[in-house]
């Protein structure tokens, strides 16, 4: 039977650690390599049952587009404390807070220290939720969550995560005959995650970094900049561009092939509101209601939000869903399919960027030199555009003057 050795050897692992949770003989260990936590099977113990591969979300997916839609809204929590501490509109925290009245617990990420790979943790009170706010862009372990689901199949649990995690959870429930109705899934819109090498990148530039907030409205309001807190409590704020310029480098290769940006298998999916409507420096969220249970919960909790109608067209445009066509082409290349030369060229450039990020742990200079070159090239391009614009404007003005002379 196929195992996650296939996923690892083809650079498709997302480091969710669900495979370790379902292994019946616990023969899967994880070790850091190229900024990822990758599975290593102790072959002498392996039963080759194939469960690890069946649960793995690294297999190339086919889910894409908007998915099932029962309602689309732009929302912002009315709870001032949740909103102030949120990255955008506080939708996810408010939903979890309301759901904890009827579900037993939730699994969320808490803290921003990154001494090791973040992992989802058990929470059952509203007070514990505050530490889970704000985005973590890095890979996340869901092993504890999956193990709890398997050992407590009767518990009603709120699950929160990106689409790769949700795909894995759908595999898990099907494999073990778990009752899908026991799980309320809040799916996060996700363009891509980032590897642990991005933590090394920020630590190389800020050696005394204790906490890292990839996005916070405390830096310039929504959509937020980067905040680092040093060991001595000193705060360093950086513009969002510091995060954006390294996203292409510190991403798992699997993200190149992901088609499910909007988390189509969730009960409710949520992300930043980029529609340009009903948003200011305080932020707001776009949410998509997907299932009957999602609709029931939304009707019950809608009064906790400021709510504005949105549409499929707005979500499709504001979340740049059309760009997922590139990912579809990249997946075709990965599966030895045929695409155009221009797509293959783009794919090679993306893989080269990822390889620079993978090397960062032992060769940071390669990426630093590349970033310097890209910065220089960007300046040259802007200069040439300005020169072209001025020349075009000058030529236009001369032509207008000639026309006026002819008319006179």
């Amino acid at each position: 039977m196929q195992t996650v050795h296939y996923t690892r050897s083809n650079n498709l692992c997302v480091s969710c650690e669900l495979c370790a949770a379902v292994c019946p003989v616990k023969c899967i260990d994880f070790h850091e390599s190229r900024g990822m936590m990758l599975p290593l099977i102790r072959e002498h113990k392996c039963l080759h049952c194939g469960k690890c591969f069946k649960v793995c979300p690294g297999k190339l997916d086919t889910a894409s587009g908007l998915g099932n839609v029962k309602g689309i809204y732009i929302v912002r929590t009315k709870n001032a404390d949740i909103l102030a501490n949120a990255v955008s509109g506080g939708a996810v925290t408010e939903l979890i807070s309301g759901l904890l009245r009827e579900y037993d617990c939730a699994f969320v990420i808490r803290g921003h220290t990154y001494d090791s790979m973040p992992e989802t943790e058990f929470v059952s009170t509203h007070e514990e939720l505050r530490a889970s706010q704000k985005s973590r862009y890095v890979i996340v372990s869901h092993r504890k969550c999956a193990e709890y689901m398997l050992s407590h199949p009767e518990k009603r649990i709120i699950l929160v995560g990106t689409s790769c995690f949700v795909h894995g959870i759908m595999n898990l429930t099907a494999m073990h005959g778990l009752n899908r109705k026991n799980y309320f899934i809040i799916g996060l819109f996700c363009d891509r995650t980032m590897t642990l090498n991005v933590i090394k990148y920020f630590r190389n530039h800020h050696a005394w970094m204790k906490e890292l907030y990839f996005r916070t409205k405390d830096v310039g309001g929504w959509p937020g900049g980067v905040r680092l807190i040093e060991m001595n409590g000193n705060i360093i704020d950086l513009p969002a561009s510091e995060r954006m310029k390294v996203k292409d480098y510190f991403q798992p290769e699997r993200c190149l092939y992901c088609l499910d940006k909007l988390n189509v298998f969730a009960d409710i999916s949520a992300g930043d509101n980029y529609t340009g409507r009903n948003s200011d420096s305080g932020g707001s969220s776009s949410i998509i209601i997907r299932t009957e249970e999602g609709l029931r919960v939304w009707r019950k909790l809608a009064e906790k939000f400021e709510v504005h109608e949105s549409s499929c067209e707005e979500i499709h445009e504001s979340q740049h869903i059309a760009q997922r066509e590139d990912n579809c082409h990249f997946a075709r290349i990965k599966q030895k399919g045929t695409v155009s030369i221009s797509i293959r060229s783009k794919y090679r450039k993306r893989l080269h960027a990822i390889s620079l990020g993978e090397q960062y742990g032992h060769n940071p200079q390669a990426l630093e030199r590349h970033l310097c070159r890209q910065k220089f090239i960007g300046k040259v391009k802007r200069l040439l555009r300005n020169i072209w614009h001025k020349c075009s404007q000058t030529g236009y003005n001369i032509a207008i003057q000639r026309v006026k002379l002819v008319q006179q």
Side-chain angles (χ1 to χ4, degrees):
M1 292 287 287
Q2 194 76 269
T3 68
V4 287
H5 176 73
Y6 172 88
T7 309
R8 174 184 172 141
S9 60
N10 284 279
N11 295 325
L12 295 175
C13 182
V14 295
S15 298
C16 64
E17 298 193 352
L18 292 179
C19 55
V22 302
C23 178
V25 292
K26 304 301 178 188
C27 70
I28 301 177
D29 301 316
F30 279 79
H31 70 103
E32 185 176 349
S33 176
R34 308 190 308 274
M36 299 288 290
M37 294 300 293
L38 298 177
L40 186 63
I41 299 174
R42 282 173 277 159
E43 292 291 345
H44 66 283
K45 290 187 66 177
C46 181
L47 302 177
H48 293 278
C49 62
K51 287 187 175 182
C52 59
F53 188 67
K54 288 178 183 176
V55 79
C56 179
K59 301 185 291 288
L60 299 185
D61 57 274
T62 56
S64 62
L66 295 178
N68 192 41
V69 175
K70 294 185 178 295
I72 301 181
Y73 304 97
I74 297 168
V75 304
R76 173 187 286 172
T77 177
K78 294 178 182 178
N79 185 311
D81 183 55
I82 291 177
L83 180 62
N85 198 45
V87 166
S88 49
V92 172
T93 304
E94 190 66 80
L95 285 170
I96 298 172
S97 181
L99 282 163
L100 280 174
R101 294 183 175 87
E102 53 181 296
Y103 281 76
D104 296 302
C105 63
F107 274 84
V108 295
I109 312 168
R110 304 179 73 228
H112 298 266
T113 55
Y114 302 109
D115 294 325
S116 58
M117 181 170 73
E119 57 184 6
T120 50
E121 300 179 45
F122 177 103
V123 300
S124 58
T125 67
H126 305 283
E127 293 73 21
E128 294 172 308
L129 278 178
R130 182 177 175 83
S132 73
Q133 287 192 269
K134 294 187 170 62
S135 300
R136 284 86 171 169
Y137 281 81
V138 294
I139 53 176
V140 173
S141 168
H142 296 277
R143 186 194 305 201
K144 286 183 179 178
C145 172
E147 289 175 342
Y148 187 84
M149 290 171 64
L150 293 174
S151 60
H152 299 80
E154 78 288 352
K155 294 290 186 180
R156 305 193 74 209
I157 307 171
I158 306 159
L159 304 172
V160 185
T162 56
S163 57
C164 50
F165 163 63
V166 174
H167 290 198
I169 287 299
M170 300 301 286
N171 295 338
L172 181 71
T173 55
M175 278 173 54
H176 289 270
L178 300 176
N179 185 356
R180 171 66 177 85
K181 293 181 179 179
N182 282 344
Y183 311 109
F184 191 90
I185 301 176
I186 301 175
L188 306 176
F189 294 178
C190 179
D191 182 53
R192 71 196 91 172
T193 55
M194 303 178 81
T195 72
L196 298 178
N197 277 353
V198 73
I199 307 298
K200 297 175 184 176
Y201 171 83
F202 280 108
R203 283 207 170 111
N204 274 358
H205 291 78
H206 306 277
W208 301 105
M209 185 184 81
K210 178 183 178 183
E211 294 180 270
L212 171 61
Y213 294 84
F214 285 96
R215 278 182 61 197
T216 173
K217 291 184 295 192
D218 296 330
V219 184
W222 184 86
V226 180
R227 169 163 288 184
L228 298 92
I229 300 180
E230 296 184 309
M231 296 294 184
N232 61 4
N234 185 44
I235 295 175
I236 301 173
D237 290 338
L238 304 171
S241 58
E242 288 298 308
R243 178 186 72 251
M244 298 300 294
K245 75 178 183 181
V246 296
K247 285 182 72 175
D248 282 347
Y249 305 95
F250 298 117
Q251 71 170 85
E253 184 183 329
R254 176 62 179 82
C255 294
L256 284 181
Y257 316 118
C258 177
L259 307 181
D260 187 11
K261 180 176 184 176
L262 300 180
N263 233 311
V264 301
F265 295 124
D267 292 295
I268 295 179
S269 38
D272 284 281
N273 167 31
Y274 289 120
T275 65
R277 294 196 302 113
N278 307 109
S279 186
D280 51 34
S281 61
S284 58
S285 304
S286 291
I287 66 168
I288 304 175
I289 316 299
R290 299 197 175 280
T291 64
E292 288 298 328
E293 178 64 4
L295 191 58
R296 180 193 70 81
V297 167
W298 173 245
R299 287 169 176 165
K300 183 177 180 180
L301 300 179
E303 62 183 17
K304 294 179 176 290
F305 297 91
E306 299 172 14
V307 182
H308 304 275
E309 294 278 349
S310 187
S311 67
C312 292
E313 291 75 20
E314 276 192 322
I315 288 289
H316 193 279
E317 183 176 352
S318 64
Q319 294 294 331
H320 306 293
I321 301 305
Q323 291 182 7
R324 291 283 139 164
E325 186 176 350
D326 279 350
N327 292 37
C328 186
H329 293 313
F330 297 157
R332 191 174 295 125
I333 296 173
K334 189 72 173 177
Q335 295 169 318
K336 313 300 182 186
T338 304
V339 297
S340 67
I341 294 175
S342 62
I343 291 294
R344 284 193 177 276
S345 175
K346 185 183 293 188
Y347 179 62
R348 284 194 295 269
K349 289 179 181 178
R350 296 291 296 274
L351 285 182
H352 176 63
I354 290 172
S355 71
L356 290 172
E358 290 176 341
Q359 297 172 37
Y360 192 81
H362 63 272
N363 184 19
Q365 295 79 14
L367 177 58
E368 299 293 350
R369 288 194 297 267
H370 184 80
L371 289 173
C372 286
R373 284 197 299 270
Q374 292 301 107
K375 185 176 181 179
F376 175 75
I377 291 170
K379 286 182 177 180
V380 171
K381 285 182 176 179
R382 285 192 295 273
L383 178 62
L384 291 175
R385 278 198 299 269
N386 289 336
I387 292 172
W388 174 258
H389 177 74
K390 288 179 181 179
C391 289
S392 299
Q393 190 63 44
T394 301
Y396 174 77
N397 291 338
I398 291 173
I400 292 295
Q401 289 173 5
R402 286 177 177 173
V403 169
K404 287 181 178 178
L405 288 173
V406 170
Q407 290 175 340
Q408 290 174 356

